[in-house]
Amino acid sequence: MQIIQTILALALTLGILVTLHEYGHFWVARRCGVKVLRFSVGFGKPLFSWYDRHGTEFAIAAIPLGGYVKMLDEREGPVPDELKDQAFTSKAPSRRIAIAAAGPAANFIFAIFAYWLLGVVGVTHVAPIVGSVTEQGVAGTVGLREGMEIHAIDGHRVSSWRDVNMRILERAGEQGTITLGVLDGDTKGTLSGELGGWRLSDDTPDPIGEFGITPWRPDVPAVLGQISPGGRAQAAGLQAGDRILTVNDEPVANWFELVDFIRNAPEQTLTLAVERAGAEQSVQVTPAEKKQDNGETIGFVGAGVEAISWPDNVLREVRYGPLAAIPIALDETWADTRLTLVAIKKMVTGLLSPSNLSGPITIARVAEASVASGFEDFVRFLAYLSVSLGILNLLPVPVLDGGHIVYYTIEAIRKKPLSDGVQALGLRIGMAMILTLMVFALYNDLMRL
């Protein structure tokens, strides 16, 4: 069931983004007078298809890892004389550039719309209030203390831990100074300190944690909320609402201590003192083994925490009017764009480990988690992934949209296209680069399993 959910989440995520990307190509091609033969979401044999009044075939194919728009093209076979003016190759370089750029443009437009929608609908964030600070981390060097709320990083406004993550992620691997705007009680202030080449871990980066910050969170009692069907907790007879008092006669102060007990005892029988309906009883449970992304094996019983309420004073509601949300959406999209470009640059220069590169397996798992987390998280994930897809396709690599744009630009300058031999060589190099990147990303995914 878990695998099916992951596959469905991946198909939904890529289906939305690929459809938007290819529709950009399709929409501009039609307006440039190019005949579109097929609009396919997915690769391989179509599962089903239909035709519109222009004779374009719309298809949903079996392999949901991409898509394409097939246009009338003299390079792919003879074109009847009466249709030559509708062939892609008959159009001026400027129109072919517009068609190639339209796919990535659609990805950026979608991201802007997604962030605009969230701004208008309104979202509620937990304020980035510091719970504790690791003295040896950058946070301790800067002077952050428990209870401080971070409201700006390097002059950029932040209102949630996601914002903090994004901003400090941009500074990974750098020297120089980082500046934090903080609110300490009722007093606003500015803290600054040296980064000293601060880096993320290669396997499972946690920007906030590795920066030296533990976010503030309310006390969470060790009370069970959800019990997974078929899990070890259900098999042991544990029930929602049970309060765990001790584990192997050791007191349990809160949920996080209970989690530590269970994580550290895979396939070891634990004796729990459980308070249920005012009475205490003893329950034995043996946590199952579960392998983490970093290879660590932990205990897992299939039980969740009872829902907790965040105090009103740590919640920040963010909502804008339809017009006011536009610049906010543009700023969010630009922040995603900048972060992606900075990450690419740092991977190339060695400041960020290439092991952080992710492939379809990681995307599927994150997609599943974001779908389960709710509307806001899923829309934000779609927006960020859409920006990444747009940037990736604009890279000047043959076979990508950016490579085609380079070819057509050169043709416009030279007044004639590059030779077939040069284009064929570029195609082989581009294919080799993309395949290498895909294999490496897939390898990273498998190493995280």
Side-chain angles (χ1 to χ4, degrees):
M1 182 60 71
Q2 183 74 27
I3 294 177
I4 294 175
Q5 290 176 347
T6 301
I7 292 174
L8 289 176
L10 176 64
L12 175 63
T13 300
L14 293 185
I16 292 172
L17 298 182
V18 167
T19 300
L20 289 166
H21 180 92
E22 298 304 334
Y23 186 78
H25 292 309
F26 168 81
W27 191 86
V28 174
R30 278 271 179 91
R31 276 140 192 83
C32 288
V34 175
K35 182 174 180 59
V36 179
L37 303 177
R38 175 183 284 179
F39 183 117
S40 178
V41 176
F43 296 114
K45 184 178 180 180
L47 299 175
F48 57 91
S49 63
W50 66 96
Y51 291 84
D52 69 1
R53 61 187 178 88
H54 300 285
T56 300
E57 179 188 11
F58 293 84
I60 307 295
I63 305 174
L65 294 178
Y68 62 91
V69 172
K70 183 178 181 181
M71 293 171 262
L72 190 65
D73 194 316
E74 292 177 290
R75 295 169 298 183
E76 297 184 4
V79 175
D81 290 340
E82 66 272 16
L83 294 178
K84 282 190 176 180
D85 65 328
Q86 298 182 49
F88 178 78
T89 42
S90 72
K91 302 302 177 182
S94 59
R95 294 202 169 192
R96 281 178 274 151
I97 290 172
I99 293 169
N107 289 122
F108 289 109
I109 291 170
F110 169 75
I112 293 170
F113 169 76
Y115 285 126
W116 175 86
L117 179 64
L118 289 177
V120 171
V121 171
V123 295
T124 300
H125 299 302
V126 174
I129 299 173
V130 177
S132 61
V133 174
T134 304
E135 291 301 325
Q136 61 268 32
V138 178
T141 303
V142 169
L144 275 175
R145 298 191 308 275
E146 179 182 350
M148 287 183 170
E149 179 178 346
I150 305 170
H151 64 78
I153 297 179
D154 292 330
H156 299 285
R157 174 186 57 84
V158 294
S159 60
S160 68
W161 282 115
R162 176 186 180 274
D163 295 341
V164 174
N165 246 326
M166 298 280 280
R167 291 300 175 184
I168 64 176
L169 188 56
E170 287 185 31
R171 304 300 307 275
E174 295 183 10
Q175 303 289 338
T177 302
I178 188 169
T179 303
L180 307 180
V182 298
L183 185 64
D184 189 5
D186 295 327
T187 305
K188 280 191 174 183
T190 301
L191 304 175
S192 61
E194 294 298 317
L195 287 166
W198 166 74
R199 298 175 69 95
L200 296 174
S201 66
D202 291 346
D203 298 324
T204 53
D206 171 21
I208 291 174
E210 293 171 33
F211 194 77
I213 302 173
T214 299
W216 180 89
R217 54 196 178 197
D219 290 332
V220 183
V223 178
L224 305 185
Q226 311 87 31
I227 304 296
S228 301
R232 297 289 178 89
Q234 185 185 60
L238 290 170
Q239 300 177 11
D242 285 350
R243 179 185 293 270
I244 312 303
L245 304 176
T246 66
V247 176
N248 292 343
D249 294 326
E250 294 188 39
V252 176
N254 53 47
W255 174 260
F256 306 106
E257 287 192 6
L258 174 61
V259 170
D260 287 339
F261 276 118
I262 293 172
R263 286 172 60 95
N264 294 328
E267 297 301 336
Q268 299 177 33
T269 299
L270 302 175
T271 300
L272 312 182
V274 177
E275 181 183 300
R276 181 185 300 166
E280 184 176 328
Q281 57 183 282
S282 179
V283 175
Q284 288 191 327
V285 62
T286 303
E289 286 188 351
K290 183 178 182 180
K291 195 167 186 179
Q292 297 287 82
D293 291 344
N294 60 4
E296 179 188 6
T297 299
I298 64 170
F300 178 76
V301 298
V305 64
E306 185 178 58
I308 60 172
S309 298
W310 290 84
D312 291 339
N313 66 317
V314 303
L315 299 179
R316 304 287 182 268
E317 184 177 9
V318 180
R319 187 190 302 269
Y320 304 95
L323 293 179
I326 294 174
I328 300 300
L330 291 171
D331 185 59
E332 291 270 17
T333 303
W334 169 239
D336 287 353
T337 301
R338 184 178 59 246
L339 178 62
T340 303
L341 291 173
V342 167
I344 292 173
K345 175 186 174 183
K346 289 183 177 181
M347 284 188 187
V348 172
T349 58
L351 292 177
L352 192 63
S353 171
S355 65
N356 291 309
L357 187 68
S358 298
I361 296 175
T362 298
I363 292 173
R365 295 172 69 179
V366 175
E368 181 192 10
S370 64
V371 169
S373 296
F375 174 76
E376 180 194 347
D377 286 340
F378 184 56
V379 171
R380 285 189 181 279
F381 174 67
L382 279 178
Y384 180 73
L385 199 58
S386 189
V387 168
S388 299
L389 181 62
I391 292 174
L392 176 64
N393 274 279
L394 284 175
L395 294 177
V397 177
V399 312
L400 296 179
D401 295 326
H404 294 309
I405 292 171
V406 170
Y407 280 165
Y408 305 146
T409 301
I410 293 173
E411 179 181 343
I413 295 171
R414 297 176 72 237
K415 306 301 182 185
K416 63 178 181 179
L418 293 170
S419 68
D420 291 342
V422 170
Q423 293 193 45
L425 177 62
L427 178 64
R428 288 195 291 271
I429 293 173
M431 286 294 293
M433 292 174 64
I434 295 301
L435 286 174
T436 300
L437 188 66
M438 290 175 63
V439 169
F440 187 71
L442 184 58
Y443 171 80
N444 286 343
D445 283 354
L446 294 175
M447 290 299 99
R448 296 186 183 111
L449 292 178

